[in-house]
Amino acid sequence: MSPALILAVSAGVAIALQVVANSVGLRDLGLGALIAISGGTTALVGLALALFAARPEATGRAVLCAVASGLLGAFIVGSIVLAANRGGLAQTLSLVIGSQLLFGLAI
C-alpha cells in the first residue's frame, strides 16, 4: 500500500473523528473558544514542525497565502461544526466531500 493512499485514508478518518470531537466541544465551549483552542493547537504543532524543517524564505506572497489558509481553516472548522450539529454528521460530510470534489475539478 502506498504512503499517499495511507495518508489520504487516514485524513478521511481524522476528519470524521474531528467533526465528532468538534460537535462535543461546541456544546461545552461555544464556537469561538472551540475555534481558538483548535487553531492554537494547530499553531503549536506547526511551530514545532517549523523548528525542525528547512528554513524557506518567507516572502510576502507566502505569508499572505498562509494567512488566507488560516482564515479558510477557521471558516471550515466553524462551518462543519455548526452544520454537523444541526444536520448530522453523515449529511454534513457528504455535502462537504461532494462540494470539495466538484470545486476541485473546476479549479
Side-chain angles (χ1 to χ4, degrees), residues 76-104:
I76 291 164
V77 168
S79 297
I80 291 174
V81 167
L82 291 174
N85 203 33
R86 292 186 172 104
L89 179 62
Q91 176 183 338
T92 298
L93 289 181
S94 296
L95 290 170
V96 168
I97 292 167
S99 62
Q100 184 179 11
L101 289 172
L102 287 173
F103 279 88

Side-chain angles (χ1 to χ4, degrees), residues 8-106:
V9 171
S10 298
V13 171
I15 289 170
L17 293 173
Q18 182 189 36
V19 171
V20 173
N22 286 342
S23 292
V24 172
L26 177 66
R27 285 186 296 226
D28 297 335
L29 296 171
L31 185 61
L34 175 68
I35 291 174
I37 292 170
S38 176
T41 303
T42 302
L44 288 174
V45 171
L47 177 62
L49 291 172
L51 293 175
F52 297 104
R55 305 282 188 255
E57 185 178 336
T59 64
R61 181 179 179 199
V63 171
L64 184 61
C65 287
V67 169
S69 176
L71 291 172
L72 287 168
F75 173 76
I76 291 164
V77 168
S79 297
I80 291 174
V81 167
L82 291 174
N85 203 33
R86 292 186 172 104
L89 179 62
Q91 176 183 338
T92 298
L93 289 181
S94 296
L95 290 170
V96 168
I97 292 167
S99 62
Q100 184 179 11
L101 289 172
L102 287 173
F103 279 88
L105 287 171

